[in-house]
Amino acid sequence: MSDELIQLDDPEISVVIRRSKRARRLTLTVPHDGGPPRVTAPPRIAASEIRMFLLRQGDWLRQAIDRAPEPEVVQIGAVILVAGRTFEITSRSGVRKSPFIAGDQLIIQGGNPAAAGKRIEVWLKEVARAALTPIAEDCADAVGGRIGKITMRDTKGRWGSCSSAGNLNFSWRLAMAPPAVLDYVAAHEAAHLIEMNHGPRFWALVEGLRPDWRDQRSWLRREGAALHRYRFSAS
């Protein structure tokens, strides 16, 4: 189904309506990447009912929009997080294909400076895969699980997932988080190889793998939205 757009009484707020056969009720979310607010709705619910829902949620919606981080385009001169540290993106002459860190700078050599954002995105995916893969494999061995494939994606609603086939998916934006946070997410998904729920046995597995998991989960809840503010293309 194609998305719809509702303009609220506030001319600065437009809301995307996404109808889903799996939706059983109306849910309202404000994306972390600066996109418009979104309502997920059952297929046959009337537009008038959606508008009334939005009117009831008006105060919450405005507060959520105000709290959302301002989008930041990743380009030469900008500052970006890598492994929980901030680095200034700098362009230098040279032939090195991949970005690299020197001191407090993330350096891009050669190529079109306008394409720096996409080059950094590709690099962050490689950084995330290189960091997450061995941790997930070690944790899988520790709990007696078996990994199928490991995939990096730009997921908005979750930092990782585990399928029934043992395939692990991770957000490559974890490359920007502190290493301990990335480590926790890898352990979390490895535990799902044994327990596909979030019941007591699952959390016991996580506790055995990473006793400080609560601190890392708290960081994601508190700071994770900021990792989605980075836009790797100006468009």
Side-chain angles (χ1 to χ4, degrees):
M1 298 182 180
S2 59
D3 293 343
E4 308 163 44
L5 192 68
I6 285 184
Q7 186 75 48
L8 300 186
D9 294 336
D10 186 334
E12 295 184 356
I13 302 179
S14 297
V15 180
V16 172
I17 311 302
R18 180 164 298 171
R19 295 182 184 271
S20 169
K21 294 179 180 178
R22 294 181 293 179
R24 296 292 179 265
R25 60 187 177 86
L26 294 169
T27 57
L28 175 61
T29 56
V30 176
H32 299 314
D33 61 0
R38 180 173 67 244
V39 168
T40 302
R44 291 187 174 84
I45 196 166
S48 59
E49 188 171 344
I50 296 174
R51 183 172 287 276
M52 289 300 297
F53 169 75
L54 287 170
L55 287 173
R56 292 194 300 271
Q57 299 295 324
D59 290 343
W60 178 90
L61 178 58
R62 289 175 178 83
Q63 291 172 10
I65 291 172
D66 289 342
R67 289 195 304 266
E70 286 294 322
E72 184 169 344
V73 176
V74 177
Q75 57 190 344
I76 302 301
V79 173
I80 190 171
L81 279 171
V82 180
R85 296 174 54 202
T86 55
F87 296 91
E88 181 183 1
I89 302 170
T90 304
S91 178
R92 293 184 186 174
S93 60
V95 296
R96 192 164 172 173
K97 292 183 178 180
S98 294
F100 62 97
I101 288 172
D104 59 357
Q105 295 182 332
L106 177 58
I107 298 171
I108 304 286
Q109 288 189 340
N112 181 2
K118 297 306 292 184
R119 289 179 65 185
I120 292 172
E121 177 181 333
V122 171
W123 176 72
L124 285 172
K125 291 177 183 178
E126 295 171 350
V127 170
R129 179 179 293 278
L132 285 160
T133 298
I135 298 170
E137 290 175 344
D138 287 348
C139 290
D141 288 343
V143 298
R146 182 168 181 172
I147 297 174
K149 295 187 299 182
I150 295 180
T151 305
M152 300 296 127
R153 295 179 179 173
D154 193 9
T155 50
K156 299 296 190 294
R158 55 177 63 184
W159 298 106
S161 64
C162 175
S163 74
S164 58
N167 298 325
L168 304 185
N169 299 311
F170 294 103
S171 168
W172 53 261
R173 290 177 184 262
L174 286 167
M176 295 184 277
V181 172
L182 178 148
D183 180 85
Y184 155 67
V185 176
H188 182 114
E189 299 310 326
H192 276 311
L193 295 167
I194 305 302
E195 292 289 337
M196 289 294 289
N197 53 63
H198 286 104
R201 288 188 296 182
F202 167 79
W203 289 113
L205 286 171
V206 175
E207 183 82 24
L209 291 169
R210 298 294 185 268
D212 65 344
W213 63 270
R214 292 175 182 82
D215 293 339
Q216 315 316 326
R217 186 178 65 172
S218 294
W219 189 96
L220 282 172
R221 290 177 171 177
R222 186 178 65 251
E223 307 289 347
L227 303 186
H228 288 284
R229 77 179 186 269
Y230 294 104
R231 292 185 178 179
F232 294 82
S233 172
S235 58

